[in-house]
Amino acid sequence: MKVVVIGTGYVGLVTGACLSEYGLSVTCVDLDSDKISRLRKNEMPIYEPGLKEIVEKNQKAGRLSFEVNGERSISEADVVFLAVGTPPLPDGSADMKYVYEAVRTFSRNHRSYQVLVTKSTVPVGTGARLEEIMMENHSGDTFAVASNPEFLREGCAVADFMNPDRIVIGCNDPKGLKVLLDLYEPMRKANAPILVTDRASSELIKYASNAFLSVKISFVNELSRLAEKVGADIASVAQGMGMDKRIGPAFLLPGPGYGGSCFPKDTKALLDTSRAFGSPLRLVDAAEQANREQVEFAAGKVLAAAGGEKKTAALLGLAFKGGTDDVRESPALKIAEILMSKGIAVKAYDPEASANALREVPGLDVVGSAAEAAKDADMLVIATEWNEFKTLDLPRLKEIMKSPVIIDLRNLLDPNHCRELGFAYTGIGRA
Ligand code: UDX
């Protein structure tokens, strides 16, 4: 079976590489010729554990190739995945211009029966719209438009693709469904559960899952603020909640708010859909608002520690979460900007995200290690949950800091241990 993936961002590149790992013949297509020539040399445009190895191995084996335009490959493919970006427009709705551009390319090169699959997160109803576009030039029995959303997390995208909780296929055309079930047969054999549903439900499953997780995080974040007021410890509260199988322990970690390329964008796009259909989603609306407040709440802790003086903060972490170089909608970067706007000098360190952070905030003072950031700083602020911040050499940092103050916005450190070492410690939702 021949597969084309249009778009070599996080989703497209991981999808293409992992499908080739399952033995399929895959061509990844992108209009960015520079990116394609780097990928041909096995240079990854993103940091994603395990990706480079798979790309290298499958390119060498001839199962994976990279092309600009890819017109011939598209015309010869059995399945074409759309994995182009759907970035948010100022009103929160998804910008569909890349999707429409890609579908026009597909339409121009469409020959025999093919399945067009949306892998990018697209608003409910997109599949129906793409079908209409195809029908302008082709008969409906020569193609199917299906939805097959991706649930991968940055930082463990390859592992998530290879061991998914579920593969969702939304297809209203039995012939197209059979093609996709054949494509995923090796993964089904490797125990990946497959849910077959209609196209609109599949499109909604993706948004509903991300919105639900956003609600879960905002719930625990708001609760952490209450915990501080009533003298409770949010870690114990979350643990006690998570032990209930109906709730589960995942996504109950409080922090400076959720970020990244998915949760902020998808909650807004789902709210946009709910408004368009006059069917409010009040909980998602509230989660969004709570998330906006959470970053202010987190920055407020640092400002309170500065006590109105122009102090220096060592900011550990710039990525939106640990394990990635992505700074899109990163609460850590927002905190840096809030602090700088209030006259706090910020010295920041991140193991992977420095270059991306500097592109977003060119004036940011970025250094090469946690110790360099901490030198002569008045406080140490942990904003991203990188593993290396769990094992900081605290006695050494205390020696080089101007004053021993830790503001742990991810609750990574043991408060008692920090206090025993002589630090003034503040976490989130705990004394
Ligand atoms: C998410 C979804 O998990 C994935 O299924 C979807 O396809 C894309 O969006 P990702 O954005 O890579 O993946 O990150 P994720 O690990 O889900 O974290 C999102 C944000 O929530 C991060 O900012 C993270 O720090 C925050 N988070 C997560 C918390 O604040 N607390 C938690 O308990 C979990």
Side-chain angles (χ1 to χ4, degrees), residues 151-154 206 251 253 259 262 320-321 385 410:
F151 299 98
L152 52 85
R153 289 162 300 168
E154 290 178 21
K206 173 64 195 253
F251 281 69
L253 292 173
C262 292
F320 79 93
K321 66 170 187 177
E385 70 279 36
R410 295 280 185 173

Side-chain angles (χ1 to χ4, degrees), residues 138-346:
H138 306 283
S139 129
D141 55 6
T142 66
F143 70 91
V145 179
S147 158
N148 170 221
E150 192 45 70
F151 299 98
L152 52 85
R153 289 162 300 168
E154 290 178 21
C156 42
V158 171
D160 280 355
F161 193 100
M162 297 312 242
N163 304 294
D165 284 351
R166 77 294 206 195
I167 293 168
V168 176
I169 302 176
C171 189
N172 300 350
D173 174 78
K175 195 171 165 191
L177 176 62
K178 172 142 190 347
V179 172
L180 292 180
L181 288 173
D182 285 350
L183 182 143
Y184 279 119
E185 183 57 15
M187 292 186 71
R188 195 194 59 77
K189 280 204 183 116
N191 284 332
I194 297 187
L195 173 73
V196 173
T197 183
D198 63 277
R199 195 170 53 201
S201 302
S202 169
E203 289 169 343
L204 190 52
I205 285 169
K206 173 64 195 253
Y207 279 104
S209 303
N210 279 356
F212 188 83
L213 292 169
S214 304
V215 169
K216 201 172 178 188
I217 297 170
S218 276
F219 184 86
V220 82
N221 279 341
E222 282 200 309
L223 212 56
S224 73
R225 299 184 221 161
L226 178 63
E228 284 183 13
K229 296 225 162 97
V230 301
D233 179 342
I234 194 66
S236 294
V237 176
Q239 191 183 3
M241 287 169 65
M243 285 166 83
D244 185 328
K245 288 192 192 67
R246 295 167 301 176
I247 299 174
F251 281 69
L252 280 180
L253 292 173
Y258 58 76
S261 65
C262 292
F263 287 179
K265 168 174 85 68
D266 293 352
T267 45
K268 287 189 188 82
L270 183 60
L271 286 168
D272 182 67
T273 303
S274 83
R275 278 190 292 271
F277 285 84
S279 190
L281 290 172
R282 295 184 186 88
L283 295 179
V284 181
D285 220 345
E288 243 251 299
Q289 194 182 325
N291 198 54
R292 263 181 274 127
E293 286 167 12
Q294 191 68 12
V295 74
E296 301 280 342
F297 171 73
K301 284 178 180 279
V302 184
L303 295 173
E309 291 176 42
K310 300 215 174 311
K311 302 230 163 156
T312 299
L315 183 67
L316 299 192
L318 293 164
F320 79 93
K321 66 170 187 177
T324 176
D325 62 351
D326 197 341
V327 297
R328 283 177 287 179
E329 297 281 339
S330 169
L333 261 197
K334 288 182 188 160
I335 288 167
E337 286 180 303
I338 294 172
L339 298 183
M340 281 152 65
S341 76
K342 302 278 183 199
I344 307 275
V346 175

